[in-house]
Amino acid sequence: MAKKLFTFLSSLTLIFLFTYLAAAKPTGFSRTLSPSSLGLRKEKLTHLHFYFHDTVSGRKPTAVKVAEALMTNTSSTGFGKVSVADDPLTTGPELGSKLVGKAQGIYASAAQDETALLMVLNFEFTEGKYNGSYLSLLGRNPITNTGLREMPIVGGSGLFRFARGFAQAKTYTFDLKTSDAVVEYNIYVLHY
Ligand SMILES: *[C@@H]1O[C@H](CO)[C@@H](O)[C@H](O)[C@H]1NC(C)=O
Ligand SMILES: *[C@@H]1O[C@H](CO)[C@@H](O)[C@H](O)[C@H]1NC(C)=O
């Protein structure tokens, strides 16, 4: 009996000891760094301006529908429709103007009372010093609103590491027959 009690007590002591050691030891997957160790100096604000060409018609569309709900065709807002886009970004409103990147991602009709899209896009830049850097946008886009639609920029890569900011989108042209659109974007981001 005494031996059993002794064994029980020593197991208990071992358990406590292990718990204590586990809590006291650093876990080994995180550490605190100074921002300069990643070469981060002063944060700056950058403004980007370009036109986004969303072409859904013709033989070479840049945005395609990939899914919809059974009831999407009964919804005045196209609720449930999901599209994937690889839309060119140019410096001017004409598609033939200088290409600076692509907007690649998904937009989904996510509102029943107005046409508003959930936008999940990566802006991939291919010109100038931002060639190879990306910005990620995640936001709500009420596309029939003719004013400025604002969407958050939630991050970036390359020169846009640690980016955060906002995009303002304004429809430049919308073709009622084809639904092709050109949208003017102004993006303001803080990054290093
Ligand atoms: C919607 O599409 C379904 C097939 O997916 C079809 O059966 C139905 O008739 C359509 N409804 C309308 C209003 O077009
Ligand atoms: C952008 O970067 C890619 C890959 O490094 C390179 O092939 C391309 O020529 C660059 N474009 C410009 C315009 O500098």
Side-chain angles (χ1 to χ4, degrees):
M1 186 66 202
K3 195 172 169 216
K4 260 196 187 153
L5 188 66
F6 177 75
T7 316
F8 174 72
L9 282 179
S10 26
S11 324
L12 214 59
T13 311
L14 272 180
I15 289 170
F16 276 122
L17 194 65
F18 272 116
T19 314
Y20 171 77
L21 281 179
K25 236 182 83 179
T27 47
F29 73 92
S30 70
R31 61 190 169 129
T32 303
L33 294 177
S34 81
S36 63
S37 66
L38 276 186
L40 304 179
R41 290 182 296 272
K42 209 171 158 333
E43 201 172 36
K44 54 182 170 278
L45 178 66
T46 296
H47 172 213
L48 301 155
H49 175 250
F50 50 76
Y51 292 83
F52 166 104
H53 300 264
D54 194 60
T55 307
V56 296
S57 70
R59 298 223 335 267
K60 283 197 80 182
T62 58
V64 291
K65 178 172 85 180
V66 294
E68 67 178 12
L70 282 178
M71 55 70 70
T72 294
N73 61 2
T74 67
S75 161
S76 62
T77 64
F79 182 60
K81 180 177 146 183
V82 179
S83 300
V84 171
D86 182 9
D87 286 344
L89 308 172
T90 60
T91 53
E94 312 78 27
L95 188 52
S97 64
K98 192 176 173 66
L99 182 74
V100 293
K102 298 279 195 73
Q104 298 171 336
I106 296 171
Y107 56 82
S109 187
Q112 304 197 68
D113 300 329
E114 69 172 320
T115 311
L117 305 177
L118 161 71
M119 308 282 286
V120 184
L121 291 180
N122 290 316
F123 293 110
E124 178 214 17
F125 298 102
T126 50
E127 256 311 311
K129 69 172 179 172
Y130 295 116
N131 184 13
S133 296
Y134 310 139
L135 281 175
S136 298
L137 174 149
L138 175 66
R140 179 179 192 274
N141 188 6
I143 52 171
T144 51
N145 180 336
T146 51
L148 291 178
R149 284 106 57 186
E150 186 169 314
M151 291 166 275
I153 297 292
V154 296
S157 74
L159 291 180
F160 290 125
R161 284 177 178 177
F162 292 103
R164 62 193 199 286
F166 61 95
Q168 287 178 325
K170 191 177 195 318
T171 303
Y172 183 79
T173 55
F174 180 74
D175 187 322
L176 284 170
K177 249 197 273 171
T178 61
S179 292
D180 292 346
V182 178
V183 184
E184 183 178 7
Y185 269 80
N186 279 287
I187 294 184
Y188 301 87
V189 278
L190 285 170
H191 63 107
Y192 289 92

